[in-house]
Amino acid sequence: MSRLHTPARDDVSEATQGILDAVGAQFGFVPNMFATLASNPTVLDVVVGLQTSLSRVLDAKTRHTIALAVSQANECDYCVAAHSFVSSELGGMSSDDIDLARAGSSVDPRRAAVARFAQQVVESRGRVSDADLAAVRGAGYTDPQILAIVTVAVQALLTNFINNVNRTDVDIPAVTPAGTPG
């Protein structure tokens, strides 16, 4: 059960309702995370704004791969479910590629390097090794792209932390744990 207050739709401002409507149009429903964030309209605006801004860095499958790798490494059940749903339904990723991303890999060698690097960012708290940087550069990523990778990873961590603190009720189709038959 979620631990933070989720306001009723009628208890939030029209501006906040508009943000929730836009989120709902994208997903087909308003995910519990966004409904909870509506209790603090500034935080809702920051999270949605950050996600919108970061949709312009890297390609969608790379961003999804990062979010899946980070969410799995950070053991955020809600975000794993959400990013698996979005990656499959909106991002065109196969179930195999979603499972690989959660495990820090990909069917695509470049995205596999990004997934490994993103997990290293999380596990090392940003103190990646020279070898980690060399590996992601060796996959063809430039320093500006590495900055984007780190920023997308941190955005995923932000929502991981919010959902882990809240223990947000998963209202998104659940996924099987990585490495188990589905």
Side-chain angles (χ1 to χ4, degrees):
M1 171 176 260
S2 294
R3 302 189 303 176
L4 301 175
H5 173 70
T6 300
R9 179 178 171 79
D10 293 340
D11 293 339
V12 300
S13 71
E14 285 186 33
T16 299
Q17 289 178 16
I19 294 170
L20 293 175
D21 289 345
V23 168
Q26 181 182 11
F27 285 90
F29 66 100
V30 177
N32 283 338
M33 178 187 82
F34 293 100
T36 299
L37 292 177
S39 71
N40 187 324
T42 302
V43 173
L44 175 64
D45 189 51
V46 165
V47 170
V48 171
L50 185 58
Q51 290 176 337
T52 300
S53 293
L54 291 178
S55 71
R56 297 187 300 265
V57 301
L58 307 167
D59 65 272
K61 285 185 179 180
T62 299
R63 292 190 319 273
H64 294 316
T65 297
I66 294 165
L68 286 160
V70 168
S71 296
Q72 185 69 45
N74 206 36
E75 300 178 5
C76 182
D77 295 337
Y78 189 88
C79 292
V80 168
H83 291 297
S84 295
F85 174 81
V86 169
S87 297
S88 173
E89 300 302 312
L90 306 176
M93 287 177 67
S94 70
S95 59
D96 287 344
D97 206 15
I98 291 168
D99 288 344
L100 286 168
R102 291 175 59 194
S105 191
S106 174
V107 296
D108 176 84
R110 278 179 50 94
R111 280 190 281 130
V114 165
R116 281 189 301 278
F117 183 74
Q119 284 186 333
Q120 282 304 114
V121 168
V122 171
E123 292 167 6
S124 71
R125 296 187 175 118
R127 293 180 179 94
V128 296
S129 68
D130 290 342
D132 294 328
L133 274 174
V136 77
R137 284 179 177 139
Y141 289 95
T142 64
D143 286 359
Q145 290 170 319
I146 292 169
L147 289 172
I149 293 164
V150 172
T151 305
V152 171
V154 170
Q155 181 270 315
L157 279 174
L158 171 64
T159 56
N160 289 174
F161 287 1
I162 288 168
N163 288 298
N164 282 345
V165 165
N166 187 34
R167 294 187 189 151
T168 307
D169 292 330
V170 177
D171 58 340
I172 297 167
V175 295
T176 58
T180 61

